[in-house]
Amino acid sequence: MSKKPTSDSLSRKMELINKKVREINERRRGMRVTRIEDELDRQELRNYVRLMGLEQEDISLEPASDEVFAPRGSVFYLTLAVEALIELVLLYISLSYLLAPGPTSLDYLIVAVLLGMFCYLGYVMYASLRGR
């Protein structure tokens, strides 16, 4: 008779621990996490497990595979293709300003702004391809 409350208590503690794991994962979503931050999160989880009165060996955490990611369909790749065309146009305009006879300081300023936009769009494209 004493086993049932113990198993209920253990399952309740496991639910709380899994809730804590989801909270940590939600906080980290969309961020680049350094090793130090990762270790601090692990330490926070270990302390929470000890606070619950369990040992690390006693728990099995639920996998994080239940996260939902946006599917990469034809719209995603069409958007990337349009971004690539914009990149090509930015390069063409930049080169036309640089190769014009006698570029002025205003031309150099325009080229710097266009190349800044080029770098930003390139980073966005890289992040979206590399991302989930």
Side-chain angles (χ1 to χ4, degrees), residues 28-118:
R28 295 169 61 160
R29 183 167 305 179
M31 292 176 25
R32 186 173 199 151
V33 179
T34 63
R35 276 189 292 166
I36 294 171
E37 292 170 330
D38 186 48
E39 185 56 38
L40 286 174
D41 287 339
R42 290 179 190 277
Q43 185 177 6
E44 177 185 355
L45 186 60
R46 280 192 298 266
N47 290 339
Y48 189 75
V49 168
R50 282 190 205 119
L51 181 70
M52 298 299 276
L54 297 173
E55 295 296 324
Q56 287 287 77
E57 300 83 34
D58 295 342
I59 64 169
S60 61
L61 300 176
E62 65 183 30
S65 63
D66 60 346
E67 296 180 26
V68 178
F69 301 114
R72 291 185 174 182
S74 58
V75 174
F76 173 78
Y77 291 110
L78 180 66
T79 304
L80 278 180
V82 169
E83 285 181 5
L85 287 175
I86 292 171
E87 291 267 318
L88 289 174
V89 169
L90 287 175
L91 277 180
Y92 176 77
I93 294 171
S94 298
L95 286 176
S96 68
Y97 273 110
L98 285 178
L99 296 176
T104 63
S105 59
L106 180 62
D107 292 337
Y108 288 125
L109 179 65
I110 291 171
V111 168
V113 169
L114 289 174
L115 290 179
M117 291 169 52
F118 174 81

